[in-house]
Amino acid sequence: MKKIRFLFAIVVLAVLLTNCTNKSDEYIDPRGTDYAGSENCIQCHQTQYESAFHSSHFKASAPATKENILGHFTNGKNTFVYDKNTKLVMEERNDTLYQVLYKNGKEAKAYPFEILFGTKHAQTSAYWKNHFTYELPISYYKSINSWATSPGYSAVNPNFERKIDKECFACHSSNIGSRYITTSSDSITFMTMEVEEFMSKKTLIYGIDCERCHGPAKKHVQTHLKFPDLKIAQNITGFKNLNRQQKIDACALCHSGNDKMKLKSRFQFRPGESLTDYFRERPGTPDTLNYDVHGNQLGLLSQSKCFRKSPTMDCMSCHNPHQDASQNLASYSKICMSCHQQTKHKATTIKTLSKSMLENKCVECHMPKQDSKAIHFQQSNKAPITSYSLRTHKIGIYPPGKK
Ligand code: HEC
Ligand code: HEC
Ligand code: HEC
Ligand code: HEC
Ligand code: HEC
Ligand code: HEC
Ligand code: HEC
């Protein structure tokens, strides 16, 4: 492998903050001085903060603390068996969690859990080595409440050498880069690592935070702090002023799959911009492709008649961007019926259900859960492969009973 130099170049030195007294207390966001950080939004937007902070978006990546980790570390539930000589055990040692590989009863390798990805259905982990992150071979899956192979990993040979590149972070975090900022009592220094692919721990902002979706908001904060009586938002892009395509693009940045040719990093995207500046193809074109239920909600939705034939439908028609998807399927029925008051099902369709049952279950029949073709995993001890199922966003008519 090519030898890489660990050289740190000081690119911009010292923005002198001569008129600021309490410099070391001031929050410095790794994305730059035009960002305020989510903590700074609470004082004026408590409602949005309280719901968003507990949402999957904020937990799309997280530090691998005992609090955040979902899988088991205690006897019986913490072992993945590859074969009679090889097993991987999840262990806690001095407050750090590890995946420990045993060969013939002897410890062969141990790698720490450092970064977590995912929270709703599954959780994959990574560790740092030099300036790169690597995926751990075993992940946790809620559907089986247990550990199993990470997606695409072998159940025969544990592999600890697969890199997690910036792409994963671009959809699961708010920042990671090779440029970071340090502060001393009176200056801010920007440091840039020599090699562009390097990642600096210091630049990582876990989860999808307020400014990942709303863009840099430091000026917005400063203006409203200075003029507390201002009721009209200043220096921020309001979604209510965006058109349908712009709103869709702000979600499709991460919810339209990962197979498009990219022109720019997803991290650069700001609300109001067009994804055609980021990808060679506009995502979500309703062609004949079978989009996967994992990660491509827009592709699937755009193949539905509901989406194509109504001029207004976007993700916010059914989702509050500050909250997780509602688990209450009946709540979606109300949304369906706001456009489908007149629907008359055939007698054969309604014969088994009462009217109220039918009304609560639009989603069960028209957006059924389907198995992902991209993700499946193997359980310990050569148990059969298990599928990963998510609700499809291709709203349509499905044969009864087919899940
Ligand atoms: C000092 C008070 C204050 C702080 C701090 C603040 N905001 Fe605001 N914000 C406002 C006011 C006032 C409005 C206009 C009324 C409203 O929509 O709530 C607003 C509106 C908004 C809007 C809606 C814009 C629109 O036109 O629809 C967004 C988005 C927003 N703020 C994001 C943020 C983010 C992100 C942060 C933290 C980085 C933040 N705000 C911090 C006062 C503040
Ligand atoms: C996943 C992207 C996303 C995240 C994360 C996010 N927002 Fe929003 N926010 C939106 C969208 C989209 C809208 C417009 C909602 C609509 O039009 O129905 C919005 C609307 C708002 C508004 C206008 C009032 C309202 O509730 O509609 C404020 C204020 C706001 N967000 C603040 C915040 C703050 C503060 C945070 C962090 C705690 C945050 N947002 C996190 C996407 C996001
Ligand atoms: C920066 C990438 C990114 C953007 C932008 C983004 N999302 Fe997400 N979203 C994710 C990731 C990653 C997850 C999976 C989080 C997890 O479970 O760990 C997710 C999860 C979700 C979920 C499921 C949450 C749950 O637990 O039920 C919904 C619904 C959702 N996003 C809607 C939206 C909408 C609507 C927008 C646009 C306003 C949006 N997202 C913008 C990356 C993004
Ligand atoms: C194009 C954006 C994108 C990229 C790139 C991406 N993800 Fe995701 N990921 C998502 C979205 C959106 C979801 C949640 C919705 C879904 O599964 O459809 C998700 C879900 C997950 C989940 C399950 C979380 C849950 O509980 O729903 C894990 C774990 C995960 N991703 C890890 C990774 C890793 C590791 C990488 C890099 C190898 C990666 N992702 C790359 C967008 C992305
Ligand atoms: C914003 C309005 C709107 C919403 C919300 C909406 N739809 Fe639709 N839907 C439409 C339109 C318009 C059509 C096309 C009707 C036509 O072609 O005559 C349609 C078509 C359909 C069809 C026929 C599909 C086919 O392929 O023939 C089904 C089934 C359907 N919708 C179910 C639902 C369900 C279930 C929901 C809720 C999860 C829903 N719709 C939400 C507007 C909407
Ligand atoms: C017509 C209503 C509707 C629209 C429009 C819609 N969704 Fe959903 N979404 C749902 C329903 C219903 C669920 C499933 C909730 C459940 O099963 O708990 C869901 C779940 C999700 C999930 C979690 C998937 C899972 O199985 O855990 C994500 C992510 C998501 N939606 C993203 C989006 C994005 C991004 C858009 C816009 C491209 C969008 N949705 C538009 C109705 C909708
Ligand atoms: C038990 C499963 C089931 C449930 C629950 C269900 N549907 Fe359907 N739906 C079907 C089937 C099957 C068809 C096609 C045969 C028919 O029209 O009865 C259909 C057809 C439709 C159509 C197309 C009708 C047309 O004239 O082309 C729409 C729109 C629709 N459903 C909307 C809804 C809405 C809205 C709800 C919730 C209020 C709902 N459905 C609940 C199974 C279901």
Side-chain angles (χ1 to χ4, degrees), residues 120-121 255 297 314-315 318-319 326 332 367 390-391 393:
K120 189 182 191 184
H121 301 285
H255 287 280
Q297 285 78 22
D314 61 29
C315 309
C318 299
H319 297 294
S326 170
Y332 296 98
M367 297 178 73
L390 296 172
R391 218 166 265 293
H393 277 67

Side-chain angles (χ1 to χ4, degrees), residues 121 291-294 297 300-301 304 329 332 336 361-373 388-403:
H121 301 285
Y291 296 117
D292 199 74
V293 283
H294 164 65
Q297 285 78 22
L300 291 160
L301 188 66
S304 326
L329 293 188
Y332 296 98
C336 309
K361 294 199 163 188
C362 315
V363 165
E364 260 334 332
C365 292
H366 291 297
M367 297 178 73
K369 284 196 177 163
Q370 292 182 336
D371 291 344
S372 165
K373 286 175 218 75
Y388 189 78
S389 81
L390 296 172
R391 218 166 265 293
T392 183
H393 277 67
K394 186 170 176 175
I395 307 170
I397 295 168
Y398 294 85
K402 194 176 166 248
K403 290 266 154 139

Side-chain angles (χ1 to χ4, degrees), residues 239 242-253 269 271-276 282-285 298 302 307 311-316:
F239 274 88
L242 300 183
N243 64 34
R244 183 196 192 192
Q245 190 61 56
Q246 288 171 314
K247 288 183 192 171
I248 290 167
D249 281 2
C251 308
L253 179 69
F269 184 87
E273 286 191 278
S274 168
L275 280 189
T276 50
R282 170 169 292 292
T285 39
L298 178 65
S302 66
F307 183 81
T312 52
M313 185 185 270
D314 61 29
C315 309
M316 272 64 80

Side-chain angles (χ1 to χ4, degrees), residues 156-371:
V156 180
N157 284 316
N159 172 10
F160 293 90
E161 300 304 323
R162 190 194 280 179
K163 263 187 201 150
I164 288 219
D165 60 16
K166 282 184 186 167
E167 283 289 288
C168 304
F169 290 95
C171 289
H172 281 267
S173 79
S174 293
N175 189 62
I176 195 152
S178 42
R179 178 174 182 266
Y180 63 95
I181 301 169
T182 57
T183 50
S184 62
S185 61
D186 58 2
S187 68
I188 300 175
T189 311
F190 297 94
M191 313 278 278
T192 299
M193 296 216 233
E194 185 79 345
V195 179
E196 180 56 25
E197 293 75 45
F198 276 1
M199 294 188 271
S200 155
K201 266 188 204 182
K202 293 177 189 156
T203 64
L204 175 55
I205 301 177
Y206 292 107
I208 294 151
D209 72 357
C210 313
E211 287 163 291
R212 185 72 214 270
C213 284
H214 288 294
K218 179 80 157 272
K219 251 193 177 160
H220 168 74
V221 170
Q222 284 171 339
T223 309
H224 285 283
L225 282 174
K226 204 164 164 196
F227 305 102
D229 294 334
L230 269 180
K231 295 285 176 270
I232 296 169
Q234 307 292 317
N235 308 111
I236 190 122
T237 308
F239 274 88
K240 59 174 181 284
N241 304 321
L242 300 183
N243 64 34
R244 183 196 192 192
Q245 190 61 56
Q246 288 171 314
K247 288 183 192 171
I248 290 167
D249 281 2
C251 308
L253 179 69
C254 306
H255 287 280
S256 62
N258 199 24
D259 45 6
K260 303 166 292 289
M261 293 281 285
K262 263 189 339 89
L263 303 168
K264 281 201 251 179
S265 161
R266 285 185 173 82
F267 281 125
Q268 289 171 264
F269 184 87
R270 304 284 175 267
E273 286 191 278
S274 168
L275 280 189
T276 50
D277 295 338
Y278 284 77
F279 305 120
R280 280 188 212 284
E281 278 169 70
R282 170 169 292 292
T285 39
D287 48 27
T288 53
L289 287 175
N290 286 316
Y291 296 117
D292 199 74
V293 283
H294 164 65
N296 205 342
Q297 285 78 22
L298 178 65
L300 291 160
L301 188 66
S302 66
Q303 295 182 331
S304 326
K305 275 195 191 159
C306 307
F307 183 81
R308 297 211 312 271
K309 299 218 172 164
S310 70
T312 52
M313 185 185 270
D314 61 29
C315 309
M316 272 64 80
S317 307
C318 299
H319 297 294
N320 177 335
H322 304 131
Q323 281 170 16
D324 288 342
S326 170
Q327 309 276 317
N328 175 0
L329 293 188
S331 70
Y332 296 98
S333 295
K334 293 202 183 74
I335 301 169
C336 309
M337 287 188 292
S338 68
C339 295
H340 292 291
Q341 300 98 334
Q342 313 297 346
T343 305
K344 294 223 167 29
H345 286 88
K346 289 179 185 147
T348 46
T349 308
I350 44 178
K351 68 171 189 271
T352 49
L353 291 169
S354 66
K355 189 169 181 289
S356 70
M357 284 286 277
L358 193 73
E359 287 186 352
N360 285 332
K361 294 199 163 188
C362 315
V363 165
E364 260 334 332
C365 292
H366 291 297
M367 297 178 73
K369 284 196 177 163
Q370 292 182 336
D371 291 344

Side-chain angles (χ1 to χ4, degrees), residues 367-382:
M367 297 178 73
K369 284 196 177 163
Q370 292 182 336
D371 291 344
S372 165
K373 286 175 218 75
I375 297 188
H376 29 71
F377 50 91
Q378 250 175 325
Q379 300 189 52
S380 179
N381 238 333
K382 306 207 166 56

Side-chain angles (χ1 to χ4, degrees), residues 43 139 149 203 264:
Q43 50 187 319
S139 294
T149 53
T203 64
K264 281 201 251 179

